[in-house]
Each structure stands twice: as C-alpha cells, then as structure tokens.
Amino acid sequence: MHASQVTFRIRKFFMEIGELSYFAGRFFKVGFRPPFEFKEFLRQCYNMGNRSLILVLVTGFIIGLVLTLQSRPTLIEFGAVSWMPNMVGISIVRELGPVITALVCAGRIASGIGAELGSMRVTEQIDAMEVSGTNPFKFLVVTRIMATTLMLPLLVILGDAVALYGSALVENFKGNVSFQLYFNAVFSALSYGDLIPATIKSFFFGFAIGLVGCYKGYYSKKGTAGVGMAANTAVVFTSMLLFVIDFIAVFISDIFYEL
C-alpha cells in the first residue's frame, strides 16, 4: 500500500469521525425540542426490543453455560470451585453481559437501521418528507437513537439474568448446588460498584448503536449498492466504537475504585 493511500484512508477516517460528531450534535440540538414523535418512538422501542429479545436471551444463556463449563475444571484444580458463583456473577454483570449484548444488538439493530434508512434515502423518501414539511431527522433519526438508548440497558439486564440462570443450571447439575444457594452467593458478591457502571455504559452502548446506524443510513449514497454498504459499515463502525466506549468506561471505573 502506497503512502498516499495510507494518508487518504487516515484523512477519510478522521473526516468521518468529524461528520459523526456533527451528526451527534445535531441530534442533541433537535432531539429535545417539541414536537415529540412519541408514537414512532414507542414503535421503534417495540421493534428493537421485542425483535432482539430472543437473540439476546439465547446468547446470554449460552454464555452462562460455556463460561461455567470452561471455568469449572480450573477452579476444581485449585480447590476454589465454591467461588464459581462470585466469579461468574461479577464477570457477566460487569463486562461480558453488556459488551456481548451490545455486539449482538449492533449486528441486529445497527445493520437494520442502516439498511432501512439507506433504502429510504436511495428511493428519495427522505427527500419527499422534507418537501412535504415533515422533519425527517426528528421522525427517523431521533426516535431510533432514543429507542436504542432506552432499550439496550433493558436487554442487558435480561441477558445477564438468563446468563446467570444458565450458569446456575450447570452448577446445579454438576455440583448439586441449589439455585437459592447459587443466587445468594452471586448477589452477596455483587455491589453497587458493579451494577451502576455496567448500567451507565449500557446507555452509551445503545446511543452508539443508534447513532452510527442512523448516520450510515441517513447519508447513504451510490444507489442500491449503498444500502448494503451502509448496513455493513454500520456494524463494523459500531463494533469498533463499542470497544472504545467500553475501554473508557473501565478506565474511569478503575479510577473510582482506586479512590
């Protein structure tokens, strides 16, 4: 790869970051001004929450099973199998639950938003809304970003619960640990310092998913091929952004733990 190509890609990346920041600023400028599209907002909440629920629950359940099955032999070797509920509970609630649920939703929701808005842009439906006097940004973008920001923490909570149930199922089957004893150990190991940062960053994850999906779809180009490109790049860009947000959240949480 030539140096000019590298320079062009770096410049293009930073230009896209700037455009995304401007798009986010436009959301904050427009999103909290009346009139509010409550009916469309509730419809988007239903679409994103209900249609992603089964995928999140199945993923969470498998994570709980696999994490417990993989960790159990090592903990038995060190004579620390009694710490299994504590380890799994903290791992899932602090990190694995929010991140994996966000990645699953990035593939499910961000690509869907990118394809939907991209097809509307290509078929000039967004232009028609502007001509008719409707504010397409408020109707299409603001409602979707708010819906993802609200629904993702709820999906994370449900995913965490099912993951812990899957882990408890393995412990009940392998180690004859009752569900009551298992969940008592999990809740005794968790504290507000685990729950609050995980919940807060889930809101940021949801905001990032909605923002990138809407941005890629709203400014989709190059005809019908641009629709597929918008859906694909929305997932890639969102996944990268989720890891960046997670790193920042963990870094800030670690500072507070040290204090």
Side-chain angles (χ1 to χ4, degrees):
M1 187 180 294
H2 297 293
S4 59
Q5 290 179 315
V6 174
T7 306
F8 172 76
R9 291 192 176 185
I10 292 173
R11 186 168 57 185
K12 185 178 179 182
F13 173 76
F14 282 108
M15 285 178 63
E16 192 150 22
I17 293 293
E19 291 173 359
L20 184 64
S21 301
Y22 173 78
F23 193 77
R26 189 179 173 188
F27 164 78
F28 287 112
K29 183 179 179 181
V30 174
F32 301 100
R33 291 180 181 176
F36 301 108
E37 303 287 350
F38 284 114
K39 187 178 290 186
E40 178 65 13
F41 167 70
L42 293 175
R43 191 177 76 85
Q44 292 302 325
C45 286
Y46 173 78
N47 287 341
M48 294 171 188
N50 184 59
R51 293 182 180 179
S52 305
L53 183 61
I54 299 299
L55 185 60
V56 168
L57 294 181
V58 171
T59 305
F61 184 71
I62 293 172
I63 289 169
L65 292 177
V66 171
L67 182 62
T68 308
L69 287 171
Q70 292 281 7
S71 304
R72 187 174 173 79
T74 305
L75 292 178
I76 289 175
E77 186 178 342
F78 287 96
V81 71
S82 61
W83 287 92
M84 177 69 75
N86 306 47
M87 186 205 73
V88 172
I90 292 173
S91 300
I92 288 174
V93 171
R94 268 195 197 175
E95 192 63 26
L96 291 178
V99 171
I100 293 179
T101 301
L103 289 172
V104 168
C105 291
R108 168 67 182 82
I109 296 174
S111 61
I113 293 175
E116 185 181 10
L117 295 188
S119 63
M120 293 181 73
R121 172 63 73 184
V122 168
T123 56
E124 300 181 350
Q125 294 180 51
I126 295 177
D127 298 329
M129 291 176 70
E130 290 175 346
V131 171
S132 65
T134 307
N135 187 343
F137 191 89
K138 183 178 281 289
F139 186 80
L140 298 174
V141 174
V142 172
T143 53
R144 283 166 172 78
I145 294 177
M146 286 186 170
T148 54
T149 305
L150 177 66
M151 295 310 296
L152 194 79
L154 300 178
L155 291 172
V156 167
I157 291 170
L158 293 173
D160 288 352
V162 173
L164 292 174
Y165 176 76
S167 177
L169 205 63
V170 173
E171 281 295 285
N172 182 259
F173 181 74
K174 290 270 190 178
N176 293 322
V177 178
S178 68
F179 286 98
Q180 183 178 358
L181 180 61
Y182 183 90
F183 282 104
N184 284 341
V186 168
F187 291 128
S188 65
L190 293 173
S191 65
Y192 287 110
D194 302 315
L195 297 172
I196 293 174
T199 304
I200 291 173
K201 73 180 178 182
S202 298
F203 283 100
F204 284 97
F205 287 164
F207 177 77
I209 291 170
L211 181 70
V212 176
C214 289
Y215 165 73
K216 290 293 186 180
Y218 199 76
Y219 294 118
S220 177
K221 299 176 183 177
K222 299 180 182 178
T224 53
V227 177
M229 191 181 299
N232 185 37
T233 54
V235 176
V236 175
F237 205 89
T238 303
S239 301
M240 183 179 66
L241 188 58
L242 290 175
F243 286 119
V244 172
I245 294 172
D246 185 54
F247 169 75
I248 294 171
V250 171
F251 184 76
I252 294 173
S253 300
D254 190 56
I255 293 173
F256 282 103
Y257 281 129
E258 289 179 358
L259 295 176

